[in-house]
Amino acid sequence: MSQSPSTTDQPQTTSGDAANGQTASLPPHDVTDLGLAAEGVRRIEWAEREMPVLRLIRERFEQERPLDGLRIGACLHVTTETANLMRTLAAGGARVALCASNPLSTQDVVAAALVAEYGISTFARRGADRETYYAHLNSVADTKPQITMDDGCDLVSLLHTSRRTELAGVLAGTEETTTGVIRLRAMAADGALEYPVVAVNEARTKHLFDNRYGTGQSTVDGVLRATNILLAGRRVVVAGYGWVGKGIASRFKGMGSQVAIVEVDPIPALEALMDGLLVKSAAEAAEWGDLFISATGNLNVFRGEHFRTMRDGAILANSGHFDAEIDLRRLLELCGGKVREVRRDVQEYDLGDRRLYVLGEGRLVNLAAAEGHPAAVMDMSFANQALAAEYVVRNHEKLEARVHTVPADIDREVARLKLEALGVHIDQMTPEQERYVSSWQEGT
Ligand SMILES: NC(=O)c1ccc[n+]([C@@H]2O[C@H](COP(=O)([O-])OP(=O)(O)OC[C@H]3O[C@@H](n4cnc5c(N)ncnc54)[C@H](O)[C@@H]3O)[C@@H](O)[C@H]2O)c1
């Protein structure tokens, strides 16, 4: 899909140096159209209603200013929920610069609102080409961040490669997603990671809810918005039965689809079977399925040998972090370049005897064709982000340059606040129970 920006606001290199009087007081930015800001504000406020935990944290941050004067560089999906995280960090006293972690997930109305209404430096345009994407990452690096906040490790990678001069000033970072954590662990194992990073993805209040229920629902949403197909009775193949795959499979099953799982690890494969799903090899599934969704964090999961046997009209989508899970280069070769967009976010590859359809250019379908996770789920992920930022600011001197987990008390506090906001009560152990579970002497 090639969506070109409708206007061309030039990046403002320093706050207040704009030649254009109207933007003179705005922070540095590069967004599609500042005129979209009012709609962005309405949508950010709508999301905020579903984010009570983040709102409570923002209110505390306003009082305590735990991030006072700190420069935070963030590379996240530019959505309404991210906007509420940026507002929270700014309320804590941080100077924040944001760029997109994926060119197709950017909501232009949100980018405009962040700049024009909330004074947050934002570099993001939906549909940005590769060059612009990296220019935006570099614009964030230009602000010399002391804390990095990543979704997929692109900012950390940039700072460890072409922008190493900025590395010395970085105190610590946080990482949002599974793929980013895998990349960071690989860097740490090579001795290449030069500052501590907290893996927000590892918090239970993140992956159990965001990866599973958030991606599950929003993947269904992305597929429906792009195609408007009936899901009942449809044969859906989900590659990967990790947290994301489990969520996607359960949601499609709930909509009446027949679901088959493709795995490389026998344990989740067995789990899928016992969850009542079909388990097939990718080759078997290719012949069987109508809709294929990858969620593995791996490469070329659906590839040439599978495209050859897929039925006419088969649809392919990806919910894993990178657009590498469907081998689109091979698909393009197989169809001799005969590709056309038949609906917004639906590309038809004409193989002669059959046509295959790819959603959102193989990028995360829930963000490319829908709006990403519902705000109520991002509330917990971003509460972890905000509290992890506060934690690394307080503790960076004690933390080694490796990947750290979110402290258990932060994780539990996020869940406690969420339950409180939902008006749900749980029990506490009685003193007798406390003694029982912590004693080795008590038994039958
Ligand atoms: N779309 C979104 O909004 C969103 C949200 C969260 C995470 N993610 C991304 O989704 C991906 C999966 O995340 P997760 O938390 O489920 O990870 P996970 O590690 O829990 O699960 C991945 C699963 O894929 C399997 N797998 C690996 N290679 C495979 C292959 N070639 N064929 C079949 N299965 C294979 C693994 O065995 C594993 O069970 C990551 O890239 C993550 O960053 C996307």
Side-chain angles (χ1 to χ4, degrees), residues 103-396:
L104 281 190
S105 62
T106 296
Q107 296 167 6
D108 285 326
V109 296
V110 170
L114 278 166
V115 174
E117 297 295 327
Y118 301 110
I120 288 168
S121 217
T122 304
F123 306 91
R125 294 166 176 264
R126 183 175 157 95
D129 60 19
R130 195 178 158 77
E131 196 184 329
T132 310
Y133 179 78
Y134 279 97
H136 287 165
L137 267 167
N138 275 294
S139 296
V140 170
D142 289 343
T143 66
K144 301 188 186 308
Q146 293 161 293
I147 301 288
T148 61
M149 203 169 261
D150 244 319
D151 188 335
C153 195
D154 279 350
L155 186 55
V156 173
S157 297
L158 185 84
L159 292 171
H160 282 75
T161 49
S162 62
R163 298 298 300 263
R164 290 190 66 83
T165 43
E166 261 58 78
L167 258 187
V170 183
L171 307 175
T174 66
E175 168 58 52
E176 173 77 7
T177 198
T178 317
T179 287
V181 173
I182 291 169
R183 291 173 84 187
L184 286 165
R185 291 227 160 92
M187 286 175 78
D190 280 353
L193 184 64
E194 297 208 10
Y195 59 84
V197 181
V198 172
V200 168
N201 186 70
E202 311 290 274
R204 289 196 296 164
T205 46
K206 198 278 182 182
H207 64 253
L208 289 181
F209 303 93
D210 170 318
N211 298 28
R212 184 164 44 165
Y213 301 115
T215 317
Q217 177 170 314
S218 57
T219 296
V220 171
D221 188 11
V223 169
L224 289 182
R225 288 196 206 194
T227 63
N228 196 27
I229 56 171
L230 180 70
L231 299 182
R234 199 161 296 258
R235 295 173 166 196
V236 178
V237 177
V238 179
Y241 202 60
W243 292 112
V244 171
K246 286 191 215 326
I248 295 171
S250 75
R251 269 45 202 160
F252 276 95
K253 194 178 174 192
M255 297 292 281
S257 303
Q258 302 177 63
V259 180
I261 301 300
V262 170
E263 253 295 345
V264 289
D265 183 336
I267 295 176
L270 192 58
E271 188 183 6
L273 201 68
M274 303 251 167
D275 284 344
L277 304 168
L278 299 168
V279 176
K280 293 179 182 289
S281 68
E284 290 165 343
E287 291 178 21
W288 177 85
D290 302 313
L291 169 61
F292 296 81
I293 303 169
S294 53
T296 69
N298 210 337
L299 184 77
N300 298 337
V301 177
F302 296 123
R303 51 186 181 268
E305 62 199 89
H306 308 129
F307 304 144
R308 284 209 180 83
T309 60
M310 283 178 186
R311 65 180 63 183
D312 182 34
I315 298 169
L316 293 112
N318 167 50
S319 268
H321 188 79
F322 287 115
D323 56 351
E325 303 212 10
I326 305 170
D327 188 356
L328 289 181
R329 201 174 299 165
R330 184 73 189 117
L331 188 54
L332 195 62
E333 279 169 16
L334 284 174
C335 75
K338 279 176 75 184
V339 184
R340 61 177 186 137
E341 183 144 317
V342 289
R343 275 171 70 100
R344 188 186 153 113
D345 294 324
V346 184
Q347 287 191 310
E348 180 185 81
Y349 287 72
D350 187 347
L351 303 177
D353 57 340
R354 288 159 308 124
R355 290 170 191 172
L356 301 183
Y357 297 91
V358 175
L359 307 188
E361 296 178 2
R363 296 179 196 273
L364 320 108
V365 69
N366 60 327
L367 281 142
E371 295 174 64
H373 299 345
V377 160
M378 293 314 293
D379 190 26
M380 290 184 283
S381 305
F382 284 167
N384 274 297
Q385 280 283 11
L387 296 180
E390 183 183 32
Y391 170 77
V392 293
V393 168
R394 290 206 177 125
N395 295 288
H396 65 89

Side-chain angles (χ1 to χ4, degrees), residues 54-71:
L54 201 58
R55 193 169 55 239
L56 284 172
I57 294 170
R58 190 168 81 229
E59 284 163 14
R60 177 170 69 76
F61 274 16
E62 269 162 9
Q63 301 296 317
E64 297 177 6
R65 309 269 297 171
L67 310 175
D68 213 13
L70 267 168
R71 294 184 303 276

